[in-house]
Amino acid sequence: MITKALTTLKKRLSPHLELSNTRLETMCLLIMGMVNARTVNLSHLACEFPTDSKVESTYRRLQRFFQHVDLGSDWAAPLLVKMIGSGPTWNGFVANFIEV
């Protein structure tokens, strides 16, 4: 189940993020971990990774990811818009949100 979700998420994100395969996998595991653990705390997320590695090794992997990967400050919103698409409902939502 986790492998299938990871593969699907990697397929969805790969066209939009210029990351190597291992960094893309780490990003996907981070996203899945945040959803499962409901936190962004790296020490908690390290426990969520479905690997045989030690938690300390996974924690260090997450630290290295953020040390070496710069996605920019505004990478998430354009990615979500590309993935969701822009239809009349979405455009109306964005217009209402911006006016607030």
Side-chain angles (χ1 to χ4, degrees):
M1 172 89 170
I2 293 174
T3 305
K4 185 177 179 181
L6 179 63
T7 303
T8 304
L9 188 56
K10 280 175 67 173
K11 282 182 186 177
R12 296 282 301 185
L13 291 179
S14 64
H16 305 289
L17 297 174
E18 294 180 20
L19 296 173
S20 68
N21 189 42
T22 55
R23 290 196 173 150
L24 182 60
E25 182 176 310
T26 302
M27 173 66 120
C28 293
L29 287 168
L30 271 166
I31 292 169
M32 290 171 48
M34 286 186 291
V35 170
N36 289 334
R38 295 180 295 176
T39 184
V40 295
N41 185 314
L42 294 184
S43 60
H44 293 285
L45 294 177
C47 298
E48 294 291 324
F49 274 46
T51 65
D52 295 330
S53 303
K54 293 181 180 180
V55 174
E56 295 83 10
S57 300
T58 304
Y59 179 72
R60 183 64 187 125
R61 177 182 178 180
L62 296 175
Q63 287 179 319
R64 283 192 306 272
F65 177 82
F66 287 108
Q67 181 180 3
H68 297 292
V69 175
D70 182 17
L71 296 169
S73 61
D74 60 348
W75 68 273
L79 174 65
L80 289 172
V81 169
K82 284 181 196 173
M83 292 180 75
I84 293 171
S86 60
T89 305
W90 177 252
N91 289 335
F93 172 77
V94 172
N96 290 335
F97 185 74
I98 292 173
E99 291 178 8
V100 172

Coordinates of all heavy atoms in Angstrom, one line a residue:
M1 N 0.8 -1.2 0.0 CA 0.0 0.0 0.0 C 0.9 1.3 0.0 O 0.6 2.2 -0.8 CB -0.9 0.0 1.2 CG -1.7 1.2 1.4 SD -3.2 1.2 0.6 CE -4.0 2.6 1.2
I2 N 1.9 1.3 0.9 CA 2.7 2.5 1.0 C 3.5 2.6 -0.3 O 3.7 3.7 -0.8 CB 3.6 2.4 2.2 CG1 2.7 2.5 3.5 CG2 4.7 3.5 2.2 CD1 3.5 2.4 4.8
T3 N 4.0 1.5 -0.8 CA 4.8 1.6 -2.0 C 4.0 2.1 -3.2 O 4.5 2.9 -4.0 CB 5.4 0.2 -2.4 OG1 6.1 -0.3 -1.2 CG2 6.3 0.2 -3.5
K4 N 2.8 1.7 -3.3 CA 1.9 2.1 -4.4 C 1.6 3.6 -4.3 O 1.7 4.4 -5.2 CB 0.6 1.4 -4.4 CG -0.3 1.7 -5.5 CD -1.6 0.8 -5.5 CE -2.5 1.2 -6.7 NZ -3.7 0.5 -6.7
A5 N 1.4 4.1 -3.1 CA 1.1 5.5 -2.8 C 2.4 6.3 -3.1 O 2.3 7.4 -3.8 CB 0.7 5.8 -1.4
L6 N 3.6 5.8 -2.8 CA 4.8 6.5 -3.0 C 5.1 6.6 -4.5 O 5.4 7.6 -5.1 CB 6.0 5.8 -2.3 CG 7.4 6.3 -2.5 CD1 7.5 7.7 -2.0 CD2 8.4 5.4 -1.9
T7 N 4.8 5.5 -5.2 CA 5.0 5.5 -6.7 C 4.1 6.4 -7.4 O 4.5 7.2 -8.3 CB 4.8 4.0 -7.2 OG1 5.7 3.2 -6.6 CG2 5.0 4.0 -8.7
T8 N 2.8 6.5 -7.0 CA 1.8 7.4 -7.6 C 2.2 8.8 -7.3 O 2.2 9.7 -8.2 CB 0.4 7.1 -7.0 OG1 0.1 5.7 -7.2 CG2 -0.6 8.0 -7.6
L9 N 2.6 9.1 -6.1 CA 3.0 10.5 -5.8 C 4.2 10.9 -6.6 O 4.3 12.1 -7.1 CB 3.2 10.6 -4.3 CG 3.4 12.0 -3.7 CD1 2.3 13.0 -4.1 CD2 3.6 12.0 -2.2
K10 N 5.2 10.0 -6.7 CA 6.4 10.3 -7.5 C 6.0 10.6 -8.9 O 6.6 11.6 -9.5 CB 7.4 9.2 -7.4 CG 8.2 9.2 -6.2 CD 9.1 8.0 -6.1 CE 10.2 8.0 -7.1 NZ 11.2 6.9 -6.9
K11 N 5.1 9.8 -9.5 CA 4.7 10.1 -10.9 C 4.0 11.4 -11.0 O 4.2 12.1 -12.1 CB 3.7 9.0 -11.3 CG 4.4 7.7 -11.7 CD 3.4 6.7 -12.2 CE 4.0 5.3 -12.4 NZ 2.9 4.3 -12.9
R12 N 3.2 11.8 -10.0 CA 2.5 13.1 -10.1 C 3.4 14.3 -10.0 O 3.2 15.3 -10.6 CB 1.4 13.1 -9.0 CG 0.3 12.1 -9.2 CD -0.7 12.5 -10.2 NE -1.3 13.8 -9.9 CZ -2.2 14.4 -10.5 NH1 -2.7 13.8 -11.6 NH2 -2.7 15.5 -10.2
L13 N 4.4 14.1 -9.1 CA 5.3 15.3 -8.8 C 6.5 15.4 -9.8 O 7.0 16.5 -10.0 CB 5.8 15.2 -7.4 CG 4.8 15.4 -6.3 CD1 5.5 15.2 -4.9 CD2 4.2 16.7 -6.3
S14 N 6.9 14.3 -10.3 CA 8.2 14.4 -11.2 C 8.1 15.4 -12.3 O 9.1 16.0 -12.6 CB 8.5 13.0 -11.6 OG 7.5 12.4 -12.5
P15 N 7.0 15.5 -13.0 CA 7.0 16.5 -14.1 C 7.1 18.0 -13.6 O 7.5 18.9 -14.4 CB 5.7 16.3 -14.8 CG 5.1 15.1 -14.3 CD 5.7 14.8 -13.0
H16 N 6.8 18.2 -12.3 CA 6.8 19.6 -11.8 C 8.0 20.0 -11.0 O 8.2 21.2 -10.7 CB 5.5 19.7 -11.0 CG 4.2 19.4 -11.7 ND1 3.7 20.1 -12.7 CD2 3.4 18.3 -11.6 CE1 2.6 19.5 -13.2 NE2 2.4 18.4 -12.5
L17 N 8.7 19.0 -10.5 CA 9.9 19.3 -9.6 C 11.1 18.7 -10.3 O 11.2 17.6 -10.7 CB 9.7 18.6 -8.3 CG 8.5 19.1 -7.4 CD1 8.4 18.3 -6.2 CD2 8.7 20.6 -7.1
E18 N 12.1 19.6 -10.4 CA 13.4 19.2 -11.0 C 14.3 18.6 -9.9 O 15.2 19.3 -9.4 CB 14.1 20.3 -11.7 CG 13.3 20.8 -12.9 CD 13.9 21.9 -13.6 OE1 15.2 22.1 -13.4 OE2 13.2 22.6 -14.4
L19 N 14.0 17.4 -9.4 CA 14.8 16.7 -8.4 C 15.3 15.4 -8.9 O 14.7 14.8 -9.7 CB 13.9 16.5 -7.2 CG 13.4 17.8 -6.4 CD1 12.4 17.4 -5.3 CD2 14.5 18.6 -5.8
S20 N 16.4 15.0 -8.4 CA 16.9 13.6 -8.7 C 15.9 12.6 -8.1 O 15.1 12.9 -7.3 CB 18.3 13.4 -8.1 OG 18.2 13.4 -6.7
N21 N 16.1 11.4 -8.6 CA 15.1 10.3 -8.2 C 15.1 10.1 -6.6 O 14.1 10.0 -6.0 CB 15.5 9.0 -8.9 CG 14.4 8.0 -8.6 OD1 13.2 8.3 -8.7 ND2 14.8 6.8 -8.4
T22 N 16.3 10.1 -6.0 CA 16.4 9.9 -4.6 C 15.8 11.1 -3.8 O 15.1 11.0 -2.8 CB 17.8 9.7 -4.1 OG1 18.7 10.7 -4.5 CG2 18.3 8.4 -4.6
R23 N 16.0 12.3 -4.3 CA 15.5 13.5 -3.6 C 14.0 13.6 -3.8 O 13.3 14.0 -2.9 CB 16.2 14.8 -4.1 CG 17.6 14.8 -3.6 CD 18.3 16.1 -3.7 NE 19.6 16.1 -3.0 CZ 20.6 16.8 -3.3 NH1 20.5 17.7 -4.3 NH2 21.7 16.7 -2.6
L24 N 13.5 13.2 -5.0 CA 12.1 13.2 -5.2 C 11.4 12.2 -4.3 O 10.4 12.4 -3.7 CB 11.8 12.8 -6.7 CG 10.3 12.8 -7.1 CD1 9.7 14.2 -6.9 CD2 10.2 12.4 -8.6
E25 N 12.1 11.0 -4.1 CA 11.5 10.0 -3.2 C 11.5 10.5 -1.8 O 10.5 10.3 -1.1 CB 12.4 8.7 -3.3 CG 11.9 7.6 -2.4 CD 12.7 6.4 -2.5 OE1 12.9 5.9 -3.7 OE2 13.1 5.8 -1.5
T26 N 12.5 11.2 -1.4 CA 12.6 11.8 0.0 C 11.4 12.8 0.1 O 10.8 12.9 1.1 CB 13.9 12.5 0.2 OG1 15.0 11.5 0.1 CG2 14.0 13.1 1.6
M27 N 11.2 13.7 -0.9 CA 10.1 14.7 -0.9 C 8.8 14.0 -0.7 O 8.0 14.4 0.1 CB 10.2 15.5 -2.2 CG 9.0 16.4 -2.3 SD 9.0 17.7 -1.0 CE 9.1 19.1 -2.0
C28 N 8.6 12.9 -1.5 CA 7.3 12.1 -1.4 C 7.2 11.5 0.0 O 6.1 11.5 0.5 CB 7.3 11.1 -2.5 SG 7.2 11.8 -4.1
L29 N 8.2 11.0 0.5 CA 8.2 10.4 1.8 C 7.9 11.5 2.9 O 7.1 11.2 3.9 CB 9.4 9.6 2.2 CG 9.6 8.3 1.4 CD1 11.1 7.8 1.6 CD2 8.6 7.3 1.9
L30 N 8.4 12.6 2.7 CA 8.1 13.8 3.6 C 6.7 14.1 3.6 O 6.0 14.3 4.6 CB 9.0 15.0 3.2 CG 10.3 15.1 3.8 CD1 11.1 16.2 3.1 CD2 10.2 15.5 5.3
I31 N 6.1 14.2 2.4 CA 4.7 14.6 2.2 C 3.8 13.5 2.9 O 2.9 13.8 3.7 CB 4.3 14.8 0.7 CG1 5.0 16.0 0.2 CG2 2.8 14.9 0.6 CD1 5.0 16.1 -1.3
M32 N 4.1 12.3 2.6 CA 3.3 11.2 3.2 C 3.5 11.1 4.7 O 2.5 10.9 5.4 CB 3.7 9.8 2.6 CG 3.3 9.7 1.1 SD 4.0 8.3 0.2 CE 3.7 6.9 1.4
G33 N 4.7 11.4 5.2 CA 4.9 11.4 6.6 C 4.2 12.6 7.3 O 3.6 12.4 8.4
M34 N 4.1 13.7 6.7 CA 3.4 14.9 7.2 C 1.9 14.6 7.3 O 1.3 15.0 8.3 CB 3.7 16.2 6.4 CG 5.0 16.7 6.7 SD 5.3 18.3 5.9 CE 5.3 17.9 4.1
V35 N 1.4 13.9 6.3 CA 0.0 13.6 6.4 C -0.3 12.6 7.5 O -1.2 12.7 8.2 CB -0.5 13.0 5.0 CG1 -1.9 12.4 5.1 CG2 -0.4 14.1 3.9
N36 N 0.5 11.5 7.6 CA 0.3 10.5 8.6 C 0.6 11.0 10.0 O -0.2 10.7 10.9 CB 1.2 9.3 8.3 CG 0.8 8.5 7.1 OD1 -0.4 8.5 6.7 ND2 1.7 7.8 6.5
A37 N 1.7 11.7 10.2 CA 2.1 12.2 11.5 C 1.4 13.5 11.9 O 1.4 13.8 13.1 CB 3.6 12.3 11.6
R38 N 0.8 14.2 11.0 CA 0.2 15.5 11.2 C 1.1 16.4 11.9 O 0.7 17.2 12.9 CB -1.1 15.3 12.0 CG -2.1 14.5 11.1 CD -3.4 14.4 11.9 NE -3.2 13.5 13.0 CZ -4.1 13.2 13.9 NH1 -5.3 13.7 13.8 NH2 -3.8 12.4 14.9
T39 N 2.4 16.5 11.5 CA 3.4 17.4 12.0 C 4.4 17.6 11.0 O 4.5 16.9 10.0 CB 4.0 16.8 13.3 OG1 4.9 17.8 13.8 CG2 4.8 15.5 13.0
V40 N 5.2 18.7 11.2 CA 6.4 18.9 10.3 C 7.7 18.7 11.1 O 8.7 19.0 10.5 CB 6.3 20.4 9.7 CG1 5.1 20.5 8.8 CG2 6.3 21.4 10.8
N41 N 7.6 18.2 12.3 CA 8.8 18.0 13.1 C 9.6 16.8 12.5 O 9.1 15.7 12.4 CB 8.3 17.6 14.5 CG 9.5 17.5 15.5 OD1 10.5 16.8 15.2 ND2 9.3 18.1 16.6
L42 N 10.8 17.1 12.1 CA 11.6 16.1 11.4 C 11.9 14.8 12.3 O 11.9 13.7 11.7 CB 13.0 16.7 11.0 CG 12.9 17.7 9.9 CD1 14.3 18.2 9.5 CD2 12.1 17.3 8.7
S43 N 12.0 15.0 13.6 CA 12.3 13.8 14.4 C 11.0 12.9 14.4 O 11.2 11.7 14.5 CB 12.7 14.2 15.8 OG 11.7 15.0 16.4
H44 N 9.9 13.5 14.4 CA 8.6 12.7 14.3 C 8.5 12.1 12.9 O 8.0 10.9 12.8 CB 7.4 13.5 14.6 CG 7.4 14.0 16.1 ND1 7.1 13.2 17.1 CD2 7.6 15.2 16.6 CE1 7.1 13.8 18.2 NE2 7.4 15.1 18.0
L45 N 8.8 12.9 11.9 CA 8.7 12.3 10.5 C 9.6 11.2 10.2 O 9.3 10.3 9.5 CB 8.9 13.5 9.5 CG 7.8 14.6 9.5 CD1 8.2 15.6 8.5 CD2 6.5 14.0 9.2
A46 N 10.8 11.2 10.9 CA 11.8 10.2 10.7 C 11.2 8.8 11.1 O 11.6 7.8 10.5 CB 13.1 10.5 11.4
C47 N 10.3 8.8 12.1 CA 9.7 7.6 12.6 C 8.7 7.1 11.6 O 8.3 5.9 11.7 CB 9.1 7.8 13.9 SG 10.2 8.3 15.2
E48 N 8.2 7.9 10.7 CA 7.1 7.6 9.8 C 7.6 6.9 8.5 O 6.8 6.3 7.8 CB 6.3 8.8 9.4 CG 5.5 9.4 10.5 CD 4.4 8.5 11.0 OE1 3.7 7.9 10.2 OE2 4.1 8.5 12.2
F49 N 8.9 7.0 8.2 CA 9.4 6.4 7.0 C 9.4 4.9 7.0 O 9.8 4.3 7.9 CB 10.9 6.9 6.8 CG 11.0 8.2 6.1 CD1 10.3 9.3 6.5 CD2 11.9 8.4 5.1 CE1 10.4 10.5 5.9 CE2 12.1 9.6 4.5 CZ 11.3 10.7 4.9
P50 N 8.8 4.3 5.9 CA 8.7 2.9 5.9 C 10.0 2.2 5.3 O 10.0 1.6 4.3 CB 7.5 2.7 4.9 CG 7.7 3.8 4.0 CD 8.2 5.0 4.8
T51 N 11.1 2.3 6.1 CA 12.3 1.8 5.7 C 12.9 0.9 6.8 O 12.4 0.9 7.9 CB 13.4 2.9 5.4 OG1 13.7 3.6 6.6 CG2 12.8 3.8 4.3
D52 N 13.9 0.2 6.4 CA 14.6 -0.7 7.4 C 15.8 0.1 8.1 O 16.4 -0.4 9.0 CB 15.2 -1.9 6.8 CG 14.1 -2.8 6.2 OD1 13.0 -2.8 6.8 OD2 14.3 -3.5 5.3
S53 N 16.0 1.4 7.7 CA 17.0 2.2 8.3 C 16.7 2.6 9.7 O 15.5 2.6 10.1 CB 17.2 3.5 7.4 OG 17.5 3.1 6.1
K54 N 17.7 2.9 10.4 CA 17.5 3.4 11.8 C 16.9 4.8 11.7 O 17.1 5.6 10.7 CB 18.9 3.6 12.5 CG 19.5 2.3 12.8 CD 20.8 2.5 13.5 CE 21.6 1.2 13.8 NZ 22.8 1.4 14.5
V55 N 16.1 5.2 12.7 CA 15.5 6.5 12.8 C 16.5 7.6 12.7 O 16.2 8.6 12.0 CB 14.6 6.6 14.1 CG1 14.0 8.0 14.2 CG2 13.5 5.5 14.1
E56 N 17.6 7.4 13.3 CA 18.7 8.4 13.3 C 19.2 8.7 11.9 O 19.4 9.8 11.5 CB 19.8 8.1 14.2 CG 19.5 8.0 15.7 CD 18.8 6.7 16.1 OE1 18.8 5.7 15.3 OE2 18.3 6.6 17.2
S57 N 19.3 7.6 11.1 CA 19.7 7.7 9.7 C 18.7 8.4 8.9 O 19.0 9.3 8.0 CB 20.0 6.3 9.1 OG 21.0 5.7 9.9
T58 N 17.5 8.1 9.1 CA 16.4 8.8 8.4 C 16.3 10.2 8.7 O 16.1 11.1 7.9 CB 15.1 8.1 8.7 OG1 15.2 6.7 8.3 CG2 13.9 8.7 7.8
Y59 N 16.5 10.5 10.0 CA 16.5 11.9 10.4 C 17.6 12.7 9.8 O 17.4 13.8 9.3 CB 16.7 12.0 12.0 CG 16.7 13.4 12.5 CD1 15.5 14.2 12.6 CD2 17.9 13.9 13.0 CE1 15.6 15.5 13.1 CE2 17.9 15.2 13.5 CZ 16.8 16.0 13.6 OH 16.8 17.3 14.1
R60 N 18.8 12.1 9.7 CA 19.9 12.8 9.0 C 19.6 12.9 7.5 O 20.0 13.9 6.9 CB 21.2 11.9 9.2 CG 22.4 12.6 8.6 CD 22.7 13.9 9.3 NE 23.8 14.5 8.6 CZ 23.8 15.8 8.1 NH1 22.7 16.5 8.3 NH2 24.8 16.3 7.4
R61 N 18.9 12.0 6.9 CA 18.6 12.1 5.5 C 17.7 13.3 5.3 O 17.8 14.0 4.3 CB 17.8 10.8 5.1 CG 17.3 10.8 3.6 CD 16.6 9.5 3.3 NE 16.0 9.5 2.0 CZ 15.4 8.5 1.5 NH1 15.1 7.4 2.2 NH2 14.9 8.6 0.3
L62 N 16.7 13.5 6.2 CA 15.8 14.6 6.1 C 16.6 15.9 6.2 O 16.4 16.9 5.5 CB 14.7 14.5 7.1 CG 13.8 13.4 6.9 CD1 12.8 13.3 8.1 CD2 13.0 13.5 5.6
Q63 N 17.5 16.0 7.2 CA 18.4 17.2 7.4 C 19.2 17.5 6.1 O 19.2 18.6 5.7 CB 19.3 17.0 8.5 CG 18.7 17.0 9.9 CD 19.7 16.8 11.0 OE1 20.6 15.9 10.9 NE2 19.6 17.6 12.1
R64 N 19.8 16.5 5.5 CA 20.5 16.7 4.3 C 19.6 17.1 3.1 O 20.1 18.0 2.3 CB 21.3 15.4 3.9 CG 22.5 15.1 4.7 CD 23.3 14.0 4.0 NE 22.6 12.8 3.8 CZ 22.4 11.8 4.6 NH1 22.9 11.9 5.8 NH2 21.7 10.7 4.3
F65 N 18.4 16.6 3.1 CA 17.5 17.1 2.0 C 17.3 18.6 2.1 O 17.4 19.3 1.1 CB 16.1 16.3 2.2 CG 15.1 16.8 1.2 CD1 15.1 16.3 -0.1 CD2 14.1 17.7 1.5 CE1 14.1 16.7 -1.0 CE2 13.2 18.1 0.6 CZ 13.2 17.6 -0.7
F66 N 17.0 19.1 3.3 CA 16.7 20.5 3.4 C 18.0 21.3 3.4 O 18.0 22.5 3.0 CB 16.0 20.8 4.7 CG 14.6 20.4 4.7 CD1 14.1 19.3 5.4 CD2 13.7 21.1 3.9 CE1 12.8 18.9 5.3 CE2 12.3 20.7 3.8 CZ 11.9 19.6 4.5
Q67 N 19.1 20.7 3.6 CA 20.4 21.4 3.5 C 20.8 21.6 2.1 O 21.4 22.7 1.7 CB 21.5 20.6 4.2 CG 22.9 21.2 4.2 CD 23.9 20.3 4.9 OE1 23.6 19.2 5.3 NE2 25.1 20.8 5.0
H68 N 20.5 20.7 1.2 CA 21.0 20.7 -0.2 C 19.9 21.1 -1.2 O 20.2 21.4 -2.4 CB 21.6 19.4 -0.6 CG 22.8 19.1 0.2 ND1 24.0 19.8 0.1 CD2 23.0 18.1 1.2 CE1 24.9 19.3 1.0 NE2 24.3 18.3 1.7
V69 N 18.6 21.0 -0.9 CA 17.6 21.3 -1.9 C 16.9 22.6 -1.6 O 16.5 22.9 -0.5 CB 16.5 20.1 -1.8 CG1 15.3 20.5 -2.7 CG2 17.1 18.8 -2.2
D70 N 16.9 23.5 -2.6 CA 16.3 24.8 -2.5 C 15.1 24.8 -3.5 O 15.3 25.0 -4.7 CB 17.3 25.9 -2.7 CG 16.7 27.3 -2.6 OD1 15.6 27.4 -1.9 OD2 17.3 28.2 -3.1
L71 N 13.9 24.7 -3.0 CA 12.8 24.7 -3.8 C 12.2 26.1 -4.0 O 11.4 26.4 -4.8 CB 11.6 23.9 -3.2 CG 12.0 22.4 -3.1 CD1 10.9 21.7 -2.2 CD2 12.1 21.8 -4.5
G72 N 12.8 27.1 -3.3 CA 12.3 28.5 -3.4 C 11.2 28.7 -2.4 O 10.6 27.7 -1.9
S73 N 10.9 29.9 -2.2 CA 9.8 30.2 -1.1 C 8.4 30.1 -1.7 O 7.5 30.0 -0.9 CB 10.0 31.6 -0.6 OG 9.9 32.6 -1.7
D74 N 8.2 30.1 -3.0 CA 6.9 30.0 -3.5 C 6.6 28.8 -4.4 O 5.9 28.9 -5.4 CB 6.6 31.3 -4.2 CG 7.5 31.6 -5.4 OD1 8.5 30.9 -5.5 OD2 7.2 32.4 -6.2
W75 N 7.2 27.7 -4.2 CA 7.1 26.6 -5.1 C 5.8 25.8 -4.9 O 5.4 25.2 -5.9 CB 8.3 25.6 -4.8 CG 8.2 24.9 -3.5 CD1 8.7 25.4 -2.3 CD2 7.6 23.7 -3.2 NE1 8.4 24.5 -1.3 CE2 7.7 23.4 -1.8 CE3 6.9 22.7 -4.0 CZ2 7.2 22.3 -1.2 CZ3 6.4 21.6 -3.4 CH2 6.6 21.4 -2.0
A76 N 5.2 25.8 -3.8 CA 4.0 25.0 -3.5 C 2.8 25.5 -4.2 O 2.1 24.7 -4.8 CB 3.8 24.8 -2.0
A77 N 2.5 26.7 -4.2 CA 1.3 27.3 -4.8 C 1.2 27.0 -6.3 O 0.2 26.5 -6.8 CB 1.1 28.7 -4.4
P78 N 2.2 27.4 -7.0 CA 2.2 27.1 -8.5 C 2.1 25.6 -8.8 O 1.4 25.2 -9.7 CB 3.5 27.7 -9.0 CG 3.9 28.7 -8.0 CD 3.4 28.2 -6.7
L79 N 2.7 24.8 -8.0 CA 2.6 23.3 -8.2 C 1.2 22.9 -8.0 O 0.6 22.1 -8.8 CB 3.5 22.6 -7.2 CG 3.5 21.1 -7.2 CD1 3.9 20.5 -8.6 CD2 4.3 20.5 -6.1
L80 N 0.5 23.3 -6.9 CA -0.9 22.9 -6.7 C -1.8 23.4 -7.8 O -2.7 22.7 -8.2 CB -1.3 23.5 -5.3 CG -0.7 22.8 -4.1 CD1 -1.1 23.6 -2.8 CD2 -1.1 21.4 -4.0
V81 N -1.6 24.6 -8.3 CA -2.4 25.1 -9.4 C -2.2 24.3 -10.6 O -3.2 23.9 -11.3 CB -2.1 26.6 -9.6 CG1 -2.8 27.1 -10.9 CG2 -2.5 27.5 -8.5
K82 N -1.0 23.9 -10.9 CA -0.7 23.1 -12.1 C -1.4 21.7 -11.9 O -2.0 21.2 -12.9 CB 0.8 22.8 -12.3 CG 1.5 24.0 -12.8 CD 3.0 23.6 -13.0 CE 3.9 24.8 -13.2 NZ 5.3 24.5 -13.2
M83 N -1.3 21.1 -10.7 CA -1.9 19.8 -10.5 C -3.4 19.8 -10.5 O -4.0 18.9 -11.0 CB -1.3 19.2 -9.3 CG 0.2 18.9 -9.4 SD 0.9 18.2 -8.0 CE 0.3 16.5 -8.1
I84 N -4.0 20.8 -9.9 CA -5.4 20.9 -9.7 C -6.1 21.3 -11.0 O -7.1 20.9 -11.4 CB -5.8 21.8 -8.6 CG1 -5.4 21.2 -7.2 CG2 -7.3 22.1 -8.6 CD1 -5.6 22.2 -6.1
G85 N -5.4 22.2 -11.7 CA -5.9 22.8 -13.0 C -6.6 24.1 -12.7 O -6.9 24.5 -11.5
S86 N -7.0 24.8 -13.7 CA -7.7 26.1 -13.5 C -9.0 26.0 -14.3 O -9.0 26.0 -15.5 CB -6.8 27.2 -13.9 OG -6.5 27.1 -15.3
G87 N -10.0 26.0 -13.5 CA -11.4 26.0 -14.1 C -12.1 27.2 -13.6 O -11.6 28.0 -12.8
P88 N -13.3 27.4 -13.9 CA -14.1 28.5 -13.4 C -14.2 28.6 -11.9 O -14.1 29.6 -11.3 CB -15.5 28.4 -14.0 CG -15.4 27.3 -15.0 CD -14.1 26.6 -14.8
T89 N -14.4 27.4 -11.3 CA -14.5 27.4 -9.8 C -13.2 27.8 -9.2 O -13.1 28.6 -8.2 CB -14.8 26.0 -9.4 OG1 -16.0 25.6 -10.0 CG2 -15.1 25.9 -7.9
W90 N -12.1 27.3 -9.7 CA -10.7 27.6 -9.1 C -10.4 29.0 -9.3 O -9.9 29.7 -8.4 CB -9.7 26.7 -9.8 CG -8.3 27.0 -9.3 CD1 -7.3 27.6 -10.0 CD2 -7.8 26.7 -8.0 NE1 -6.2 27.7 -9.2 CE2 -6.4 27.2 -8.0 CE3 -8.3 26.1 -6.8 CZ2 -5.6 27.1 -6.9 CZ3 -7.4 26.0 -5.7 CH2 -6.1 26.5 -5.7
N91 N -10.7 29.6 -10.5 CA -10.4 31.0 -10.8 C -11.2 31.9 -9.9 O -10.7 32.9 -9.4 CB -10.6 31.4 -12.2 CG -9.6 30.7 -13.2 OD1 -8.5 30.5 -12.7 ND2 -9.9 30.5 -14.4
G92 N -12.5 31.6 -9.6 CA -13.3 32.3 -8.7 C -12.8 32.3 -7.3 O -12.8 33.3 -6.6
F93 N -12.3 31.1 -6.9 CA -11.8 31.0 -5.6 C -10.6 31.8 -5.4 O -10.4 32.5 -4.4 CB -11.5 29.5 -5.3 CG -10.7 29.3 -4.0 CD1 -11.4 29.4 -2.8 CD2 -9.3 29.1 -4.0 CE1 -10.7 29.2 -1.6 CE2 -8.7 28.9 -2.8 CZ -9.3 29.0 -1.6
V94 N -9.7 31.8 -6.3 CA -8.4 32.6 -6.3 C -8.8 34.1 -6.3 O -8.2 34.8 -5.5 CB -7.5 32.2 -7.4 CG1 -6.3 33.2 -7.5 CG2 -7.0 30.8 -7.3
A95 N -9.7 34.5 -7.1 CA -10.1 35.9 -7.1 C -10.6 36.3 -5.8 O -10.3 37.4 -5.3 CB -11.1 36.1 -8.2
N96 N -11.5 35.5 -5.2 CA -12.1 35.9 -3.9 C -11.0 35.9 -2.8 O -11.0 36.7 -1.9 CB -13.2 34.9 -3.5 CG -14.4 35.1 -4.3 OD1 -14.6 36.1 -4.9 ND2 -15.2 34.0 -4.5
F97 N -10.1 35.0 -2.9 CA -9.0 34.9 -1.9 C -8.1 36.1 -2.0 O -7.7 36.6 -1.0 CB -8.2 33.6 -2.1 CG -7.2 33.3 -1.1 CD1 -7.5 32.9 0.2 CD2 -5.8 33.5 -1.3 CE1 -6.6 32.7 1.2 CE2 -4.9 33.3 -0.4 CZ -5.2 32.9 0.9
I98 N -7.7 36.5 -3.2 CA -6.8 37.6 -3.3 C -7.5 38.9 -2.9 O -6.8 39.8 -2.3 CB -6.4 37.7 -4.8 CG1 -5.5 36.5 -5.1 CG2 -5.6 39.0 -5.1 CD1 -5.1 36.4 -6.6
E99 N -8.8 39.1 -3.1 CA -9.4 40.3 -2.7 C -9.5 40.5 -1.2 O -9.6 41.6 -0.7 CB -10.8 40.4 -3.3 CG -10.8 40.5 -4.8 CD -12.2 40.5 -5.4 OE1 -13.2 40.5 -4.6 OE2 -12.3 40.5 -6.6
V100 N -9.5 39.4 -0.4 CA -9.7 39.4 1.0 C -8.5 40.1 1.7 O -7.4 40.2 1.4 CB -9.9 38.0 1.6 CG1 -9.9 38.0 3.1 CG2 -11.1 37.5 1.1

